[in-house]
């Protein structure tokens, strides 16, 4: 077939330069690449880099057909994953040469530089430095370029180490080194010298304490997040928070936002680096700013959050109200919801589980009850028994109680072991000695704390009124929150078989239990340690007397 496309419209193939030909022939098509990690680097500003590259192109008679920049982009941490560089590599068929100011502007890693050389060589594209007299088309020139890249990588590592050490030194002195400001704090001038420090933000700290109080009162995170959003309370925001410490204008709260906030040890005044607390020489977390929460409240908060995510108690959004509360009176299995004729019901699936486990039919026929009427009956029983009672929060008087410090030291020992054996830290000639010294100090501290605890006056428990009744909490709670209230009250409902021919729910089929009796029955039905539940109940009674 004859090609009828006009000659002027056809794309002409690019003439490939033979290997060994220097990249200085006139008429070549050039792409200029500019990179800068920070805009404050005056010595290699984007304007200066571009001017030097364009001057080289003009001197050699090259035509600049593309200029790409990566500003505020690290060549070390980002590797080849840089927008400007990727745009050039995607258009290599249009270029004869890539011009850059210095090799360290193109790549900070020897591996990255070698990869760029390999890609451009395969496409017949030359590399040219505007400030280094290298011919990268010859074997000797490429070897010299790799040597320069090695020293560029070494310089980058050295700079990174110096900056990291300087930041750690400043953090240990209590100064703020920039980055995201933890929620609950704000930046202020250092009263004891140069630089800036973090101090408590009164409004945000008040919000944090109110959130913690509601969590300890068993409010669900979904309910708390919804209330904060409706009230227009500024949220911690996301990654858009600026390094100057400014907040976003976001007032949207999510459960993930709350979880991240409530599990952040910076609320204790600890200094965090790379997601982990900086440790003192004795292995305990470094505290250089006023804490928002005291240690007792922090541990109570973490225990409550852990309880909510513990095995067997994980909750789903919009979960059934009586899930883990309703049990079959025939086989003692939990009852689950299903839909029949458009209506929600609870039924026992013990027979199905038996068939799945053994292949045989069980003795239970799978009794069921209507969800609406059953939930109304149990709700009425709960409110009748607890509705007018005031919710109390159990507060532990520390006194001479050293358990929080013991727990902190044990966690520090565990983190120290993970640092060495899982994260591969404490390397180098003196790594083993530093690890052994730090571990020994922590062990000595732990032993000393345990000895003090053995001789300490036992801590006491006090029931502190919250000013709210169970009825008020129930009215304000969502389905998850109401289910939590039932479980905390020890609710256990046993469903007896239905009488033959019965059309409506006979409430006499429902045996409702609360308190320790209900908790013991539920533990027994779930195959848990009943004796442990009894021991915990006895221990609570003794602490209250």
């Amino acid at each position: 077939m004859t090609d009828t496309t006009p000659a002027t419209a056809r794309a002409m193939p690019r003439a490939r330069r033979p290997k060994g030909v220097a990249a200085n022939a006139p008429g070549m098509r050039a792409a200029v690449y500019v990179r800068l990690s920070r805009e404050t680097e005056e010595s290699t500003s984007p304007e200066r880099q571009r001017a030097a590259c364009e001057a080289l192109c003009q001197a050699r008679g090259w035509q600049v057909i593309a200029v790409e920049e990566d500003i505020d982009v690290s060549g070390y941490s980002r590797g080849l994953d840089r927008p400007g560089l990727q745009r050039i590599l995607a258009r290599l068929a249009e270029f004869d040469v890539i011009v850059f100011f210095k090799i360290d502007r193109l790549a900070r890693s020897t591996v990255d530089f070698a990869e760029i050389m390999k890609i451009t060589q395969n496409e017949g594209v030359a590399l040219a430095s505007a400030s280094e007299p290298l011919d990268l088309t010859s074997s000797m020139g490429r070897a010299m370029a790799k040597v320069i890249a090695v020293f560029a990588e070494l310089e980058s590592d050295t700079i990174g180490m110096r900056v990291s050490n300087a930041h750690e030194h400043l953090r240990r002195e209590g100064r703020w080194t920039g980055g995201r400001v933890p929620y609950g704090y704000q930046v202020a001038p250092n009263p004891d010298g140069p630089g800036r420090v973090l101090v408590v933000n009164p409004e945000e700290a008040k919000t944090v304490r109110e959130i913690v109080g509601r969590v300890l009162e068993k409010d669900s995170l979904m309910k708390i997040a919804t209330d904060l959003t409706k009230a227009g309370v500024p949220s911690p925001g996301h990654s858009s928070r600026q390094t100057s410490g400014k907040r976003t204008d976001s007032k949207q709260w999510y459960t993930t936002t709350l979880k991240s906030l409530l599990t952040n040890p910076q609320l204790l005044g600890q200094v965090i680096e790379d997601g982990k607390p900086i440790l003192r020489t004795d292995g305990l977390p470094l505290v250089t700013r006023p804490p928002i929460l005291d240690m007792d409240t922090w541990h109570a908060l973490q225990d409550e959050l852990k309880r909510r995510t513990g095995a067997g108690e994980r909750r789903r959004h919009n979960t059934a109200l009586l899930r883990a509360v309703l049990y079959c009176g025939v086989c003692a299995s939990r009852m689950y919801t299903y839909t029949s004729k458009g209506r929600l019901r609870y039924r026992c699936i013990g027979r199905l589980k038996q068939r799945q486990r053994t292949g045989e039919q069980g003795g239970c026929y799978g009794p069921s009850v209507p969800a609406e009427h059953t939930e109304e009956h149990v709700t009425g029983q709960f409110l009748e028994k607890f509705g007018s009672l005031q919710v109390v929060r159990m507060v532990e008087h520390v006194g001479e109680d050293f358990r929080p410090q013991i727990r902190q030291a044990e966690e520090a020992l565990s983190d120290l072991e993970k640092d060495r054996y899982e994260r591969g830290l404490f390397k180098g000639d003196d790594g083993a000695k530093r690890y052994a010294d730090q571990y020994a100090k922590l062990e000595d501290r732990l032993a000393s704390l345990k000895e003090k605890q053995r001789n300490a006056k036992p801590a006491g428990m006090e029931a502190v009124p919250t000013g709210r009744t169970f009825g008020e909490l129930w009215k304000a709670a969502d389905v998850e929150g109401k289910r939590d209230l039932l479980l905390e009250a020890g609710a256990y409902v046993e469903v007896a078989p239905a009488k033959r021919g019965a059309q409506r729910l006979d409430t006499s089929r429902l045996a409702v239990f609360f308190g320790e009796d209900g908790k013991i029955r539920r533990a027994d039905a779930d195959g848990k340690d009943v004796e442990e539940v009894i021991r915990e109940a006895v221990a609570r009674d003794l602490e209250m007397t």
Side-chain angles (χ1 to χ4, degrees):
M1 180 182 292
T2 305
D3 186 359
T4 59
T5 304
T8 56
R10 295 194 192 108
M12 299 298 294
R14 176 162 60 87
R16 299 286 182 180
R17 289 183 296 97
K19 288 185 178 181
V21 177
N24 55 9
M28 295 177 65
R29 296 170 297 177
V32 172
Y33 177 68
V34 175
R35 184 189 68 78
L36 194 65
S37 295
R38 294 187 179 181
E39 292 193 52
T40 56
E41 296 179 14
E42 297 295 339
S43 59
T44 54
S45 65
E47 294 76 13
R48 185 184 174 205
Q49 291 185 45
R50 181 169 179 170
C53 292
E54 290 177 345
L56 175 68
C57 294
Q58 184 177 5
R60 297 192 178 182
W62 297 342
Q63 179 186 3
V64 177
I65 62 173
V67 177
E68 295 291 352
E69 296 183 349
D70 281 321
I71 308 301
D72 274 342
V73 176
S74 170
Y76 185 78
S77 60
R78 295 288 294 272
L80 302 188
D81 185 22
R82 292 171 259 156
L85 178 61
Q86 286 298 319
R87 286 192 292 269
I88 288 180
L89 296 180
R91 298 173 56 191
L92 286 180
E94 304 175 26
F95 309 134
D96 297 303
V97 60
I98 299 174
V99 184
F100 44 88
F101 183 67
K102 288 177 64 177
I103 288 178
D104 65 1
R105 298 299 92 193
L106 185 65
R108 278 287 197 179
S109 161
T110 309
V111 174
D112 291 342
F113 183 71
E115 182 65 19
I116 293 174
M117 287 185 63
K118 179 181 177 182
I119 293 172
T120 54
Q121 273 187 285
N122 290 339
E123 294 295 324
V125 177
L127 299 174
S129 171
S131 58
E132 297 155 334
L134 294 174
D135 179 7
L136 302 184
T137 62
S138 66
S139 298
M140 182 60 70
R142 287 191 293 272
M144 289 299 297
K146 288 180 181 179
V147 171
I148 293 175
V150 169
F151 282 98
E153 181 177 3
L154 177 61
E155 179 188 8
S156 178
D157 288 342
T158 303
I159 292 173
M161 187 177 299
R162 277 203 309 268
V163 171
S164 178
N165 290 340
H167 280 188
E168 182 173 353
H169 173 72
L170 293 176
R171 291 190 188 101
R172 289 187 179 278
E173 287 189 340
R175 290 163 60 180
W176 183 61
T177 58
R180 290 169 60 87
V181 177
Y183 191 81
Y185 291 92
Q186 62 188 14
V187 183
N190 183 10
D192 299 322
R196 293 177 290 175
V197 295
L198 293 182
V199 297
V200 173
N201 182 314
E203 290 298 322
E204 293 181 355
K206 180 182 177 183
T207 299
V208 170
R209 296 186 183 107
E210 289 175 351
I211 292 171
V212 172
R214 292 186 61 179
V215 171
L216 295 178
E217 290 176 7
K218 312 304 180 185
D219 276 7
S220 71
L221 295 184
M222 178 68 73
K223 174 66 174 173
I224 297 173
T226 302
D227 290 347
L228 290 171
T229 300
K230 287 181 179 178
V233 178
S235 75
H238 301 285
S239 57
S240 57
R241 189 183 299 173
Q242 300 175 2
T243 57
S244 62
K246 295 180 180 179
R247 298 282 194 267
T248 65
D249 56 1
S250 171
K251 295 182 180 179
Q252 181 69 45
W253 289 78
Y254 304 91
T255 55
T256 52
T257 308
L258 288 173
K259 288 178 182 177
S260 177
L261 170 63
L262 298 177
T263 56
N264 190 342
Q266 292 188 99
L267 295 177
L268 294 172
Q270 296 180 8
V271 184
I272 306 299
E273 182 178 13
D274 296 331
K276 290 186 56 188
I278 293 180
L279 302 181
R280 302 184 320 209
T281 56
D282 60 2
L284 293 178
L286 176 67
V287 177
T288 62
R289 58 185 72 116
I292 294 176
L293 300 179
D294 59 76
M295 190 63 69
D296 293 330
T297 304
W298 169 261
H299 285 317
L301 173 64
Q302 302 314 306
D303 289 341
E304 171 62 20
L305 294 175
K306 184 178 179 181
R307 182 195 67 78
R308 297 187 184 196
T309 58
E313 296 295 339
R314 290 191 177 90
R315 301 175 300 157
R316 297 176 293 120
H317 296 316
N318 300 320
T319 187
L321 176 64
L322 300 183
R323 182 171 170 263
V325 173
L326 218 57
Y327 287 78
C328 174
V330 178
C331 66
S333 296
R334 286 188 181 186
M335 299 181 71
Y336 297 88
T337 54
Y338 75 106
T339 303
S340 174
K341 297 180 181 180
R343 293 183 178 274
L344 196 67
R345 296 181 66 86
Y346 288 92
R347 69 176 172 185
C348 170
I349 60 172
R351 188 177 187 180
L352 175 61
K353 290 183 177 180
Q354 176 75 7
R355 187 167 65 244
Q356 290 175 337
R357 285 196 301 264
T358 65
E360 300 176 358
Q361 295 286 357
C364 182
Y365 66 90
S368 68
V369 289
E372 182 179 358
H373 296 309
T374 304
E375 290 174 354
E376 286 178 356
H377 179 73
V378 175
T379 298
Q381 295 282 307
F382 172 80
L383 293 177
E384 181 181 350
K385 189 175 182 63
F386 297 98
S388 60
L389 298 181
Q390 192 174 68
V391 178
V392 297
R393 181 174 148 204
M394 302 307 297
V395 176
E396 183 176 4
H397 290 295
V398 178
E400 292 184 317
D401 187 6
F402 295 94
R403 284 177 294 178
Q405 294 95 320
I406 290 174
R407 177 170 173 173
Q408 186 182 41
E410 289 173 342
E411 290 173 352
L413 269 175
S414 176
D415 287 342
L416 189 63
E417 291 176 350
K418 290 178 181 178
D419 283 344
R420 182 177 187 185
Y421 298 109
E422 294 182 18
R423 302 184 181 97
L425 303 182
F426 292 96
K427 296 179 179 179
D429 297 336
D430 64 339
K433 184 178 182 305
R434 287 189 293 108
Y435 172 80
D437 291 344
Q438 197 164 330
Y439 199 93
K441 288 181 180 179
L442 271 177
E443 280 191 320
D444 290 344
R445 177 175 175 78
L446 184 59
S448 173
L449 288 171
K450 288 183 176 179
E451 179 63 27
K452 290 180 179 180
Q453 181 63 27
R454 279 191 290 270
N455 300 320
K457 180 181 178 181
M461 299 290 293
E462 180 185 5
V464 178
T466 63
R468 303 174 71 185
T469 65
F470 280 98
E472 291 171 341
L473 283 182
W474 183 272
K475 185 178 180 180
D478 55 13
V479 175
E480 293 179 68
K482 291 176 180 177
R483 178 171 166 266
D484 265 351
L485 287 172
L486 288 174
L487 292 174
E488 284 298 308
Y492 175 88
V493 181
E494 189 175 275
V495 181
K499 296 178 181 178
R500 186 178 299 275
Q503 298 296 320
R504 295 185 177 181
L505 173 66
D506 179 4
T507 55
S508 65
R509 295 175 57 198
L510 306 177
V512 184
F513 302 89
F514 291 105
E516 303 302 336
D517 190 11
K519 291 181 180 180
I520 292 171
R521 289 173 181 271
R522 189 164 68 229
D524 186 38
D526 290 338
K528 296 182 179 178
D529 187 355
V530 176
E531 295 297 327
E532 178 63 25
V533 177
I534 296 174
R535 284 194 296 270
E536 290 178 356
V538 172
R540 281 195 297 271
D541 290 340
L542 289 175
E543 287 178 337
M544 290 298 296
T545 57

